[in-house]
Amino acid sequence: MRIERRESVPLALVATAPLVAIFAALVLAAGLIGAAGVNPLTAYAEMLRGALGSRLSITEMLTRATPLILTGLAAAVAFRARLWNIGGEGQFYVGALTTAWIGHSLGLPGPIGIAVLMVCGMAAGALLLAGPAFLRLRFGVDEVVTTLLLNFIVILFVGLMIEGPLRDPLAFGWPQSVPVDGDYRLPDLVPRTRLHIGLLIAIAAAGVIWLVLTRTVFGVETRAAGLNARAAAFAGISLPRTIMGVALVSGALAGLAGAVEVMGVTGGVTTTMSPGFGYAGIVVAMLAALHPAGVVAAAIFVATVFVGADAMSRATGVPSFIADVIVALSLLTMLVALLFTTYRLRP
């Protein structure tokens, strides 16, 4: 047997690969659930009921999916150009911290202030990723290492700021930043729930990214840089300009996720406000095969797993950490599915 690259990939194969990967991940996780003494079908039914069984659970799931859409888009844009941005978590936090700091005493009317704060969060995330992109272009430094390590540096910096100059004096000793002014909180999308219009902003961002990647010169250059950098350079594409542009867009999307989370949910910043949105965004992007439209669906799936796992744990006794296992298995099975989507076995 030998592995042969496909001359063309059927659209049906591309569409079904994520579904097959998710199914395989659920089957593999079922073994662990069974080892815990619980019927996997019962556990998965409880997971669905916990995430989709009521108005409250659906809105909570969509609230969790909102930042995942944006961090998933950040990873998808970068990975298309083979810029391996593993720093979505740090960009998320720096966008959130910038939003809380400026939004505490901005002094602009509500709608204008919300737009300004989103731009500030995006700018912070973009600048954070611009550093590793520059180091790669100028000195050949591996961006996987620099972006990953920056996550820990940013978390420590956030902790320093919320324990120091940005500490909320009304938090009764709880380490959190000063809150965003109430005029800059995102309106609720569904009354008496935590779901806010950030969901619509995230979906709109997915639409804009799709248009940019498919209908603009920048999108063509990004895809060309990812498929074959040497051929793209031979065709006259400026790789440094393209990579830096991709870095700014990717970092801006992750920073926007932090800004939206602060203005829509938390109001301020803590070092535990993200349960790993930046890292989960990588899984979302891979499950979506780096397609912006698929990112929305993949984010909803991941959010369903995380929100539903808590309810499943209460009902069956299976540890909620099974959600992390399912998401990790989904990434691994999707990588295998992408391998067989691109290549095929020949006798």
Side-chain angles (χ1 to χ4, degrees), residues 9-153:
V9 181
L11 182 60
L13 192 59
V14 175
T16 57
L19 300 178
V20 173
I22 290 172
F23 178 76
L26 294 175
V27 170
L28 292 172
L32 298 175
I33 295 173
V38 178
N39 186 328
L41 295 179
T42 301
Y44 288 144
E46 291 295 337
M47 180 181 289
L48 287 176
R49 187 177 296 112
L52 305 172
S54 67
R55 174 176 176 269
L56 177 62
S57 59
I58 292 174
T59 56
E60 283 297 309
M61 181 272 293
L62 292 175
T63 301
R64 178 70 71 93
T66 298
L68 289 174
I69 293 173
L70 293 169
T71 56
L73 289 172
V77 169
F79 290 1
R80 272 179 173 260
R82 295 188 180 273
L83 175 68
W84 308 115
N85 176 19
I86 315 298
E89 190 80 353
Q91 295 143 29
F92 174 93
Y93 267 105
V94 78
L97 186 67
T98 301
T99 300
W101 171 44
I102 298 176
H104 182 62
S105 56
L106 183 58
L108 290 175
I112 298 177
I114 289 174
V116 169
L117 291 179
M118 286 185 180
V119 171
C120 291
M122 293 171 68
L127 289 175
L128 186 65
L129 186 53
F134 173 78
L135 291 176
R136 168 184 160 171
L137 295 172
R138 183 66 177 84
F139 302 106
V141 179
D142 189 348
E143 71 274 14
V144 172
V145 176
T146 52
T147 54
L148 179 61
L149 294 181
L150 269 176
N151 290 336
F152 302 101
I153 295 173

Side-chain angles (χ1 to χ4, degrees), residues 111-302:
I112 298 177
I114 289 174
V116 169
L117 291 179
M118 286 185 180
V119 171
C120 291
M122 293 171 68
L127 289 175
L128 186 65
L129 186 53
F134 173 78
L135 291 176
R136 168 184 160 171
L137 295 172
R138 183 66 177 84
F139 302 106
V141 179
D142 189 348
E143 71 274 14
V144 172
V145 176
T146 52
T147 54
L148 179 61
L149 294 181
L150 269 176
N151 290 336
F152 302 101
I153 295 173
V154 169
I155 294 296
L156 292 173
F157 177 73
V158 169
L160 172 67
M161 296 302 290
I162 65 178
E163 291 281 5
L166 294 184
R167 184 185 183 94
D168 184 5
L170 301 179
F172 301 104
W174 184 260
Q176 69 180 40
S177 74
V178 291
V180 172
D181 189 280
D183 291 340
Y184 307 135
R185 298 299 299 270
L186 296 178
D188 292 337
L189 194 58
V190 178
R192 297 186 298 279
T193 69
R194 298 201 306 165
L195 184 61
H196 51 84
I197 64 169
L199 175 63
L200 302 181
I201 295 172
I203 294 174
V208 170
I209 292 299
W210 177 78
L211 288 174
V212 169
L213 292 177
T214 59
R215 297 293 188 270
T216 67
V217 174
F218 174 74
V220 174
E221 292 177 344
T222 297
R223 189 165 181 267
L227 291 175
N228 192 320
R230 293 181 62 185
F234 183 78
I237 296 174
S238 173
L239 290 179
R241 185 190 64 192
T242 301
I243 294 299
M244 186 57 71
V246 167
L248 294 177
V249 172
S250 177
L253 288 166
L256 177 61
V260 166
E261 189 71 5
V262 166
M263 291 190 291
V265 179
T266 62
V269 179
T270 66
T271 54
T272 58
M273 65 177 290
S274 168
F277 288 131
Y279 300 113
I282 297 173
V283 180
V284 168
M286 295 306 298
L287 285 176
L290 309 185
H291 194 287
V295 164
V296 178
I300 290 175
F301 164 72
V302 172

